[in-house]
Amino acid sequence: MQITSRVETHLKMGFRLYFAVAVVTLMTAENFSDGYKQVPCYFIFGDSLADNGNNNDLHTFAKVNFSPYGIDFPFGPTGRFTNGRTTVDVIAQLLGFDHFIPPFARANGTTDILFGLNYASGSAGIRNESGKHAGECIPFDMQLEHHRTVVLRLAEILGTESATNWHLSRCLYTVGLGNNDYINNYFLPQYYTASRDYTLPEFTQLLIQQYTQQIKTLYEYGARKIAIFGTGQLGCTPNAISRYGTDGSSCIEFLEAASTLFNIKLKSMVEQLNANITDAKFIYINYHSIGADSAILGFTNNTGGCCPVASGGQCIADRKPCRNRTSYAFWDSFHPTEAVNEYIAQRSYAAVDPSDAYPFDIQTLVHLNQEISAM
């Protein structure tokens, strides 16, 4: 009975996902055909899961502007940490944009600023020191500073404060940080002191406190529709499995426990922000759970990367990756393939399960009455 029940549940979920994806695909095709965008602009903050080239000119090992990265992307290697599109690329398409949101480092003229920018940086975290052992990166505080300069420029372009506030209030903002504060900070005691200075609950609470203030700063810069992505399956990456060994488990349990603890507190943070700030809306995207559910896509390899990797876990330059990229959950030792990114984006945009997003999904967020965000 239990096996039958589980099979029925997965079949029902598969049907619901198929239906949701079909609707979104049709809607997206319609948007591309008539040029309709659901929001006037889209601003992106995050780490390597969203970086699309901001790290290319930095002195860091955390950059991927070389093949085989981008092998399935229309423009080849661009600095995206995957074989094709990132999750935020797909979200931009679902929103009706006819172009990918450009990186801040390559922003060119008024058009880019008006339609939105991507500030994400590989190895970046909530804390400024996270990921710095790999070299330069752009932590969230600096991403916010970059956005502040853009907002000031927008005010010059649009002419008045009220016009700028109105424009920004209708945009979508996505934020996805926290992964590197654990895997490239707390759990790297050879480089960072955090695990000696704090217990895991103490460190997580510090992250949430800092994150709350940073999100409030984003609000002060005009953001009114903000989707915040939780951390991923930190203990299930090929790097984690090869480094720590599973000891019979499918994932590294202490890393998964850290991710779970952070995501629980992050969801509560979103709830408190919505309670305390009435002229904006914040939502939580359950990246961890949706990523785990991507196994429904039937990958033949869930634990190894598609490309040959160097010691740091990134693809070896110019080495041939696996042929059937859609059969792999992971591209390199850390980052998902385009197939997983697309799946996560679709369920973030149009939730299939009530746990996918809280209190609602991205498509609901962007279609909220604009008047609440312009107050």
Side-chain angles (χ1 to χ4, degrees), residues 151-293:
V151 171
L152 293 174
R153 176 64 181 133
L154 269 173
E156 295 176 357
I157 294 169
L158 297 176
T160 67
E161 182 179 351
S162 60
T164 304
N165 290 341
W166 173 246
H167 179 75
L168 293 173
S169 72
R170 296 181 296 140
C171 302
L172 173 66
Y173 301 74
T174 58
V175 184
L177 292 138
N179 298 290
N180 290 307
D181 295 290
Y182 290 103
I183 62 175
N184 284 319
N185 186 334
Y186 192 83
F187 291 115
L188 281 184
Q190 64 269 42
Y191 296 109
Y192 306 97
T193 64
S195 61
R196 295 188 291 276
D197 296 337
Y198 307 104
T199 66
L200 182 62
E202 288 172 343
F203 181 73
T204 301
Q205 187 58 38
L206 283 174
L207 286 182
I208 293 297
Q209 290 172 352
Q210 184 172 351
Y211 211 8
T212 300
Q213 293 306 312
Q214 290 167 328
I215 296 297
K216 287 181 178 179
T217 297
L218 185 57
Y219 163 81
E220 290 171 2
Y221 294 162
R224 293 298 182 267
K225 296 181 178 182
I226 306 173
I228 305 173
F229 286 74
T231 52
Q233 295 178 276
L234 302 182
C236 304
T237 65
N239 175 268
I241 292 170
S242 64
R243 181 180 179 188
Y244 297 106
T246 60
D247 194 26
S249 300
S250 58
C251 299
I252 310 306
E253 293 181 359
F254 72 88
L255 290 173
E256 285 295 277
S259 181
T260 298
L261 178 62
F262 178 82
N263 287 333
I264 289 172
K265 289 185 174 293
L266 185 61
K267 185 178 178 181
S268 296
M269 182 190 87
V270 166
E271 190 171 32
Q272 292 172 9
L273 286 169
N274 281 321
N276 296 328
I277 301 176
T278 58
D279 64 336
K281 282 297 179 183
F282 308 84
I283 66 171
Y284 163 73
I285 301 297
N286 194 346
Y287 188 99
H288 186 284
S289 179
I290 299 173
D293 284 349

Side-chain angles (χ1 to χ4, degrees), residues 55 123 179 189 214 225 298 327 361-362:
N55 276 23
S123 81
N179 298 290
Q214 290 167 328
K225 296 181 178 182
S327 295
D361 56 26
I362 289 175

Side-chain angles (χ1 to χ4, degrees), residues 37-81:
K37 296 194 303 291
Q38 296 166 48
V39 291
C41 47
Y42 178 20
F43 292 103
I44 299 159
F45 302 82
D47 53 27
S48 59
L49 294 173
D51 188 354
N52 64 346
N54 285 307
N55 276 23
N56 288 355
D57 296 329
L58 301 183
H59 296 289
T60 177
F61 292 109
K63 57 181 175 183
V64 292
N65 53 340
F66 55 85
S67 64
Y69 289 95
I71 190 172
D72 299 310
F73 191 72
F75 311 118
T78 58
R80 288 167 168 82
F81 288 70

Side-chain angles (χ1 to χ4, degrees), residues 82-135:
T82 186
N83 59 304
R85 295 166 298 163
T86 64
T87 295
V88 295
D89 287 330
V90 179
I91 289 173
Q93 291 178 316
L94 295 173
L95 291 169
F97 284 86
D98 58 4
H99 64 277
F100 298 112
I101 304 302
F104 173 79
R106 296 287 186 271
N108 185 19
T110 302
T111 301
D112 286 350
I113 293 175
L114 284 171
F115 290 154
L117 292 170
N118 183 328
Y119 305 95
S121 171
S123 81
I126 296 167
R127 294 177 67 88
N128 290 334
E129 76 272 15
S130 295
K132 288 296 179 68
H133 68 283

Side-chain angles (χ1 to χ4, degrees), residues 139-160:
F140 193 22
D141 279 341
M142 191 177 295
Q143 292 180 34
L144 289 169
E145 276 301 301
H146 288 167
H147 184 57
R148 178 176 175 272
T149 65
V150 168
V151 171
L152 293 174
R153 176 64 181 133
L154 269 173
E156 295 176 357
I157 294 169
L158 297 176
T160 67

